Each structure stands twice: as C-alpha cells, then as structure tokens.
Amino acid sequence: RLAPLTQSGSDVLVRQALGARADREFCAACHAVTGGNPYLLRELTETLAHEGIRPTATSAALVRELVPDAVAGSVVVRMARLPAPATALATAVAVLGSDVSLREAAALAELQQPEAARAADTLAAVAILEPELPLNFVHPLVRAAIYGGLQAGERAVWHARAARVLGAAGVSSERVAAQLLRAEPEGDAWAVARLRAAAADAMGHADPNAAIAYLRR
C-alpha cells in the first residue's frame, strides 16, 4: 500500500497545477488539509484553479474552506457513475463509520458477501474506499460527502437498520446504541432494551455522560 505523499511530494503536485511560484505556506496548507492524499490534492487544486485563487500565503486560509466542496462535488460525480451495489455499499460504510467489516457492510447494504467484495473493489478503484479490509474511506471528507448526501429521513432509516444489523452481529451494546441515537424514535421495545444495556455498560466503565444520553433517548 502506498503511503501518503510527503510535504515535498505534495508541493510538486501543487506547483505543477497552480504554478512554480506557489508560496510555501500555501503548499503547506494544501498538504495539511488533504493529508498528502493525491486524489484529494488533485480535486483541491482543480477547484483552486477554477476559482482563480492565486497560490499565495494570504490565500492559505481559503484552502481549508474549499476542500469539502471540492471533494463533495467529485464524489457526487464518481458515485453517479457506479453500479447500484457499489453505491449501496458506500452508503452502508458511511453510516457504520470506520473500520467496517465486509460482513456488516454487506448485511446493511443488503448484498451477498461476494457481491459486496466486488463493490468494495470498484469503490477502491475510483479512490472512494481504501483497497483493504476493514473498510474505510480514503479520507474522512469522502465519508462526509456521501453521508451528507443523504436526506435526514434517509439517514434515520439507515441508522435504524444499522442498529439491527449490528445487534444481530453481537457487537457491543454501545455500538448499537450509537446507531439508535441517530434513528427515528419508534417506541420499539428492542431499541429500549438495547439503550438500557448500553447505559449500564457505560456506567460500568465510568462514562456517565454517555449513559445519560442513552437513557434520555
């Protein structure tokens, strides 16, 4: 697996795209917000060029503001070109969070594991997921773009389903409860029992604030 670009490597890409005289502080800001990820750097520099922003020290503050929009626009385009299983798997991973097992993501996306594995390979090929297990996005901003593309009602439904999937998988009660906190309240006895169990577990390792949140829910 390739490591992220170093600062000097990132500087090369930025100066190729925006001019050889790009300021050092500006280049440092580009590297910091993208983590040296070449895909994100490319999207950022294309957006900066399109907006006509000069690569000077005074423009460094604008870099952080533009990265989310640059990545979101690119992700939307990439996702629109993908087959339905890949889109479903990406959404499932966005809802479940980080270090997601293929089995959990497949269950939530309602895919068979071989189909989910192919979808994961497709997502890795277009720089959305990392090309290894467990499943993670190439950058938190990519996850944010996919998750943010869901409407509030859609997100609630996905989180409710995720809670059931994780509950059936036997994961920790608090991981299930984290999904229930984002789901629509339905007066469901199963959800109540899971939230109470999570509160008890939270108190068991001295986290009263989490316990309160679960019990309020």
Side-chain angles (χ1 to χ4, degrees):
R1 179 185 176 190
L2 295 176
L5 293 172
T6 62
Q7 177 68 66
S8 60
S10 175
D11 293 351
V12 170
L13 286 188
V14 172
R15 288 175 174 141
Q16 284 178 344
L18 300 175
R21 295 186 178 181
D23 185 85
R24 183 171 58 183
E25 184 177 344
F26 181 90
C27 291
C30 291
H31 183 265
V33 298
T34 62
N37 183 291
Y39 156 61
L40 298 180
L41 269 170
R42 184 180 67 248
E43 301 302 330
L44 174 61
T45 55
E46 287 180 357
T47 300
L48 291 166
H50 178 74
E51 296 290 333
I53 294 172
R54 299 182 63 189
T56 63
T58 55
S59 299
L62 296 174
V63 170
R64 188 174 296 277
E65 297 175 13
L66 286 173
V67 168
D69 290 339
V71 174
S74 173
V75 169
V76 168
V77 170
R78 287 166 184 257
M79 292 287 286
R81 297 171 178 168
L82 297 178
T87 301
L89 189 74
T91 303
V93 178
V95 168
L96 290 168
S98 58
D99 295 329
V100 178
S101 73
L102 182 63
R103 179 171 53 85
E104 292 169 357
L108 181 55
E110 298 181 335
L111 301 172
Q112 297 297 317
Q113 283 203 44
E115 186 179 25
R118 290 192 295 271
D121 290 341
T122 299
L123 291 164
V126 294
I128 289 178
L129 289 183
E130 293 183 348
E132 57 185 26
L133 296 175
L135 300 174
N136 284 292
F137 290 99
V138 295
H139 194 280
L141 288 171
V142 177
R143 176 187 180 270
I146 294 173
Y147 187 79
L150 298 172
Q151 298 297 318
E154 287 182 292
R155 286 197 297 268
V157 170
W158 275 92
H159 283 297
R161 288 176 49 215
R164 292 282 183 173
V165 166
L166 294 176
V171 305
S172 70
S173 61
E174 290 175 273
R175 193 173 170 208
V176 174
Q179 296 292 333
L180 290 172
L181 291 178
R182 295 171 173 81
E184 184 72 16
E186 297 178 348
D188 178 36
W190 179 88
V192 170
R194 292 295 175 140
L195 289 162
R196 285 177 170 167
D201 289 343
M203 287 300 295
H205 53 252
D207 191 355
N209 290 332
I212 290 170
Y214 300 144
L215 292 174
R216 281 179 173 163
R217 171 66 173 78

